[in-house]
Amino acid sequence: MASKPTAIVIGAGIGGIATAARLAKNGYSVTVLEKNAQAGGRCNQIVREGHRFDIGPTLFLMPEVWEETFQALGERMSDHLDLRRIDPTYKVHFEDGLQLQLTSDIGKMQDQLEAVEKTAFTGFLSYIAEGARHYKISLEKFVGRNFYSLLEYFSLSNLPLIFQLKALDKHYRNTSRYFKDERLKAAFTFQNMYLGLSPYDAPATYSLLQYTELAEGVWYPMGGMYAAIQALTRIAEKLGVRFIYNAPVKTIQVQGSQVLFVETEDGARYAGDIFVGNADLPYIYDQLLPDRAEARKLDEKLYTCSTIMFYWGVDKQYPQIAHHNVFLAGDYKASFDRIFQDHTLPDAPSFYVHAPARTDPAAAPAGQDTLYVLVPVGHLDARTRQDWDAMVKRARETVFARLEKEMGINDLREHIKFEITYTPLTWQQQFNLQKGAAFGLSHNFWQVGYLRPHNRHAKYRNLYFAGASTHPGTGLPIVLLSARLTTERILKEKGTISVQKPSTVAAAATD
């Protein structure tokens, strides 16, 4: 009996786990090499003194994409995850005192929006309808498929769709068609930060984000986002995938047009028929491969922002803090300019607070709270002086001041038992994220679709990529799509088994 083809996956982020599992399901013998002590990458967790924190993503979006992943692996998502819908999805706080609760309850949205702007509700309905169109077209025609040539991407059938998706328009400017009040424009564009983007630069295509939240829901898996990582890892292991932890790869050895093996820092070598890089793609080109010219090209591309994170174990409950809370800066545009042009902390930072114990009491000890704070900030930039200690201090003081002013929380400092802080340096050192950019390469017209780094190396024909910085892009459900697309390409090109059936995502998009 012929032996199984072998695959080596570098990195056990969600893209690496899902790709490994799909390959194993299709007959490969798969080994995953992970730098850290456990799987998950940025979608990891911290557990300390009874407090459980998700490190990175906290929003479970696009559940049908997740469901397709589980189905492709022969499983049902409901057997592994206990999902709870979060509605209202957020409380949004503005510096002038206005508060909005974004919700799928249309009546409540109408009352809130018309209290701000008389015609805003009509604009909102049109905006969500546009988001629905963008979502369905994107998944079916762009995000949910591979492109093998520039002509295929800019085909006569695709070109009109690029204009329908408003890919050449800017998201914030596009909202002016639907809302006049600057605060409402902010409320329906801040979601670009999920992708580490500025709404002033992001394509207007991303109105699809608001559609997915309000129409399909923001969900929370009991046990935290890391419960999804644990579930997929268990499934992968059941399919025969072998995970090796504390095994950072130091080099990819190549010869001609092939990768021969990868070598870890302890000198162990792992050979295979194919290799999948799930570490940050620019890092792989810069640190693991010999192609310096390609690494320099990637260095010149646009990168997403980074974040300052506070993980606070608190010995008191603060019920006024909802599950998801967004605090927006008064000068919205200036804050993004400081992040994306000056690569620093805005003078008046916006921030996000996550309180998982509102939904999952096990996230904190009884009578206590687990608070996660995310403050967007510029990525690392060797050309400018970046005093991260000073920025961390100023970010922390901003959070305290606004929680006191807008929620009456004046004793939080005294009740923080411990604080864990992440900066762009942490993202770079712990997760090998180039420039400490927490979301990988950016998304603009020139860095999406076929114009984004491809999911197979141009020279080394058995080296593939899955993750945020390759096609189709960043965000957990999109990285799951990356795993599917990369697997499909491997199976197509290597002639192993057969290409998987079209995903339920694409099917749903054509309904």
Side-chain angles (χ1 to χ4, degrees):
M1 186 174 180
S3 61
K4 290 183 176 183
T6 56
I8 305 297
V9 178
I10 304 169
I14 192 168
I17 299 166
T19 305
R22 285 178 179 269
L23 288 172
K25 181 71 174 174
N26 282 277
Y28 273 79
S29 174
V30 186
T31 299
V32 180
L33 304 173
E34 167 55 38
K35 170 183 184 284
N36 293 311
Q38 59 188 31
R42 284 162 278 186
C43 190
N44 221 302
Q45 71 170 358
I46 297 169
V47 179
R48 179 169 168 182
E49 297 180 24
H51 297 269
R52 188 189 67 230
F53 305 87
D54 285 313
I55 288 178
T58 60
L59 301 168
F60 191 101
L61 301 173
M62 300 168 66
E64 79 279 13
V65 175
W66 291 83
E67 184 66 68
E68 187 278 332
T69 298
F70 281 89
Q71 288 178 356
L73 302 177
E75 303 282 341
R76 292 189 308 175
M77 183 168 68
S78 59
D79 291 338
H80 296 272
L81 298 178
D82 178 6
L83 296 179
R84 307 292 174 89
R85 186 164 184 169
I86 308 299
D87 199 345
T89 55
Y90 312 91
K91 277 188 176 180
V92 184
H93 300 257
F94 298 86
E95 278 193 338
D96 64 2
L98 175 67
Q99 294 185 22
L100 294 175
Q101 294 193 48
L102 302 188
T103 173
S104 60
D105 186 317
I106 294 298
K108 289 181 179 178
M109 283 299 293
Q110 181 175 7
D111 291 343
Q112 292 182 89
L113 294 175
E114 290 182 347
V116 177
E117 179 186 315
K118 188 175 181 180
T119 60
F121 183 64
T122 301
F124 166 75
L125 294 177
S126 298
Y127 183 68
I128 294 301
E130 177 188 272
R133 291 193 300 274
H134 288 176
Y135 181 75
K136 294 178 187 299
I137 294 171
S138 293
L139 281 180
E140 180 185 358
K141 300 296 185 180
F142 292 96
V143 176
R145 58 166 292 186
N146 280 309
F147 293 97
Y148 295 94
S149 73
L150 195 61
L151 287 176
E152 184 182 13
Y153 183 59
F154 287 115
S155 66
L156 291 177
S157 59
N158 268 3
L159 275 175
L161 299 178
I162 291 174
F163 290 97
Q164 287 181 38
L165 289 170
K166 298 186 176 180
L168 298 174
D169 200 0
K170 303 303 182 187
H171 194 183
Y172 189 86
R173 184 172 61 201
N174 183 59
T175 59
S176 299
R177 302 170 186 266
Y178 306 103
F179 308 105
K180 296 176 182 177
D181 191 285
E182 297 297 322
R183 295 167 298 179
L184 295 184
K185 295 177 189 178
F188 293 104
T189 58
F190 75 81
Q191 294 86 350
N192 289 137
M193 293 302 292
Y194 303 162
L195 307 177
L197 305 178
S198 164
Y200 295 93
D201 298 323
T205 310
Y206 290 120
S207 59
L208 62 85
L209 292 170
Q210 291 72 47
Y211 166 76
T212 61
E213 289 181 350
L214 297 177
E216 300 193 353
V218 172
W219 300 80
Y220 178 81
M222 297 300 281
M225 293 297 292
Y226 197 67
I229 295 294
Q230 292 171 316
L232 289 173
T233 303
R234 284 194 301 269
I235 292 168
E237 289 174 335
K238 188 168 78 171
L239 291 169
V241 176
R242 180 171 66 125
F243 289 86
I244 302 176
Y245 298 107
N246 299 307
V249 171
K250 73 174 183 180
T251 188
I252 298 174
Q253 187 64 42
V254 299
Q255 184 178 73
S257 63
Q258 296 289 305
V259 172
L260 299 180
F261 60 85
V262 300
E263 185 175 343
T264 53
E265 288 186 356
D266 64 1
R269 293 181 174 184
Y270 298 86
D273 296 304
I274 63 162
F275 298 81
V276 179
N278 178 234
D280 192 33
L281 183 144
Y283 171 84
I284 293 175
Y285 275 85
D286 185 47
Q287 297 293 322
L288 304 184
L289 287 170
D291 334 43
R292 298 313 307 156
E294 289 300 317
R296 283 192 293 271
K297 287 179 185 177
L298 284 170
D299 187 65
E300 293 169 0
K301 289 186 178 293
L302 290 177
Y303 285 73
T304 56
C305 70
S306 192
T307 62
I308 291 171
M309 309 293 301
F310 300 109
Y311 307 100
W312 289 332
V314 183
D315 66 9
K316 177 182 176 179
Q317 287 183 329
Y318 291 95
Q320 59 269 57
I321 301 177
H323 189 109
H324 297 299
N325 311 264
V326 175
F327 294 79
L328 295 178
D331 194 336
Y332 192 61
K333 186 176 188 306
S335 69
F336 285 106
D337 288 345
R338 293 289 278 164
I339 292 169
F340 290 94
Q341 295 178 17
D342 303 332
H343 300 150
T344 190
L345 179 70
D347 300 331
S350 299
F351 61 94
Y352 159 77
V353 181
H354 177 229
R358 295 301 159 273
T359 303
D360 186 357
Q368 301 187 28
D369 240 338
T370 292
L371 299 179
Y372 158 122
V373 180
L374 181 155
V375 186
V377 69
H379 62 61
L380 297 173
D381 185 349
R383 297 168 298 179
T384 63
R385 181 179 178 275
Q386 295 172 304
D387 186 340
W388 293 111
D389 289 340
M391 282 190 261
V392 165
K393 182 178 180 181
R394 187 157 61 84
R396 185 189 296 112
E397 292 304 314
T398 297
V399 174
F400 287 149
R402 289 199 65 176
L403 290 179
E404 180 171 359
K405 176 185 175 184
E406 295 166 45
M407 289 187 170
I409 298 173
N410 57 14
D411 61 350
L412 179 56
R413 300 170 193 267
E414 292 76 39
H415 289 281
I416 294 176
K417 296 156 52 179
F418 64 84
E419 173 186 275
I420 299 169
T421 305
Y422 278 26
T423 71
L425 293 168
T426 318
W427 294 118
Q428 181 187 57
Q429 293 162 6
Q430 189 165 330
F431 300 104
N432 289 338
L433 297 175
Q434 204 78 339
K435 302 189 182 187
F439 308 87
L441 285 175
S442 189
H443 300 71
N444 62 11
F445 180 78
W446 305 105
Q447 291 183 191
V448 295
Y450 188 76
L451 305 178
R452 196 167 182 80
H454 302 165
N455 56 10
R456 196 206 65 205
H457 197 283
K459 180 178 180 181
Y460 308 120
R461 314 292 282 184
N462 63 339
L463 175 58
Y464 296 82
F465 302 98
S469 290
T470 186
H471 176 68
T474 193
L476 287 183
I478 305 305
V479 172
L480 287 175
L481 288 176
S482 169
R484 175 173 69 80
L485 296 178
T486 299
T487 304
E488 288 181 355
R489 183 165 191 167
I490 291 168
L491 300 181
K492 176 181 179 180
E493 294 181 349
K494 299 306 176 185
T496 308
I497 318 299
S498 60
V499 175
Q500 300 168 50
K501 295 178 182 178
S503 75
T504 55
V505 178
T510 58
D511 285 347

